[in-house]
Amino acid sequence: MTDLSAAAPGFSPLDLGALLYFLAAWTAYGVSVSRLRGQRISLSRIMDRHRENWARQVIARENRVVDTQINASLQNGTAFFASTSLIALGSVLTLSRSGDDVINLFATLPFGTVANRLTWEVKVAGLACVFTYAFFKFAWAYRLFNYSAILLGAVPPKGAEVPEPEMLRTVSRIASMNVSAGSHFARGQRAFFFALAYLGWFVSPVILFGSTTFVVCVMWHRQFLSRIRRELLALGECEHEGPLDGSKR
């Protein structure tokens, strides 16, 4: 058994460096996904454009049952992840009750480090913060999809004597709401992936460096190097009609 009372208090410089690397990687990846344009555009941004195209099609359809079903499926998926994040948060909080046993287990693993109870509690609290962040993102995305459904129902029927600028403003509101909901949902999912990377810190800071790098590489490949993204770009995805308000991105 590991003598927890003899464990060094606080975090080593390697621990702090690994944590800063984790936070910097999360931030840099999020900025890259949302800011890069042109041939470097992310898959998420490409799909945001298709959300806008979907909103354009709403005013051309007399029957909008399909549109409401699509929005409902997005809302249901968001609700599932919100519930999952709460379950994960509850599971994380139970870790603090069995800290001594788990600390001894991790200390026996390769590259494992001996930690005291204080550092263990701090790491558990950090993981709880990650899942709390994910829950808030999913919950807000669910609310925005709900608002999107309301805006969808407020679109005047086809053939109504509504000026075209007003119809475009109505569609623009739907698109903006749906794009924002999708963005918050993506951030919640991103938190799930980085939560997996964060688990490496419970073993050692060296593992956190490796797990964070692995997660970023996997997500980067899916956003910028995946086959579906290449196919969308090959089909002229960058030659888009542009945003609904006519401004440049």
Side-chain angles (χ1 to χ4, degrees):
M1 291 286 288
T2 301
D3 185 6
L4 298 180
S5 62
F11 295 102
S12 66
L14 188 60
D15 277 304
L16 297 178
L19 181 59
L20 290 176
Y21 176 75
F22 171 82
L23 296 175
W26 190 345
T27 302
Y29 176 80
V31 171
S32 299
V33 170
S34 60
R35 298 294 178 85
L36 293 181
R37 297 290 187 270
Q39 289 295 324
R40 297 177 299 172
I41 190 173
S42 66
L43 181 60
S44 292
R45 296 299 296 168
I46 292 175
M47 294 311 301
D48 285 344
R49 295 180 175 186
H50 283 288
R51 292 176 191 270
E52 295 174 352
N53 285 338
W54 169 34
R56 286 188 178 94
Q57 302 305 315
V58 171
I59 60 177
R61 281 194 279 266
E62 295 182 1
N63 190 330
R64 293 164 185 158
V65 174
V66 173
D67 302 299
T68 58
Q69 289 178 340
I70 293 173
N71 193 85
S73 67
L74 294 173
Q75 201 170 13
N76 292 336
T78 305
F80 169 78
F81 277 99
S83 301
T84 303
S85 62
L86 282 180
I87 295 173
L89 178 60
S91 300
V92 169
L93 294 178
T94 61
L95 289 176
S96 61
R97 302 180 58 184
S98 56
D100 293 342
D101 294 335
V102 181
I103 290 172
N104 286 306
L105 174 62
F106 282 145
T108 62
L109 297 176
F111 303 105
T113 57
V114 179
N116 60 20
R117 187 59 183 258
L118 177 59
T119 57
W120 170 261
E121 294 289 352
V122 172
K123 291 179 181 180
V124 170
L127 186 58
C129 288
V130 173
F131 284 118
T132 300
Y133 170 85
F135 170 75
F136 275 106
K137 286 299 178 181
F138 288 131
W140 183 235
Y142 181 87
R143 189 67 176 269
L144 293 180
F145 280 128
N146 183 51
Y147 291 156
S148 182
I150 295 172
L151 293 176
L152 182 61
V155 177
K158 183 180 179 181
E161 297 181 359
V162 178
E164 183 178 356
E166 177 60 29
M167 290 293 289
L168 290 178
R169 281 194 295 269
T170 302
V171 171
S172 181
R173 285 192 290 267
I174 297 175
S176 298
M177 189 69 69
N178 206 278
V179 168
S180 181
S183 176
H184 285 280
F185 177 82
R187 292 173 186 174
Q189 275 197 325
R190 193 177 306 153
F192 269 34
F193 282 104
F194 276 98
L196 296 178
Y198 186 93
L199 291 176
W201 197 22
F202 287 92
V203 181
S204 78
V206 175
I207 300 298
L208 179 59
F209 276 112
S211 60
T212 301
T213 303
F214 174 76
V215 166
V216 170
C217 288
V218 170
M219 292 193 298
W220 184 273
H221 182 272
R222 292 179 178 180
Q223 284 287 347
F224 297 99
L225 301 173
S226 60
R227 180 179 60 84
I228 185 61
R229 177 186 175 276
R230 290 196 302 269
E231 291 179 354
L232 289 174
L233 291 177
L235 294 173
E237 185 58 42
C238 286
E239 299 176 1
H240 187 258
E241 299 176 39
L244 292 168
D245 59 5
S247 62
K248 294 182 179 180
R249 290 182 181 273

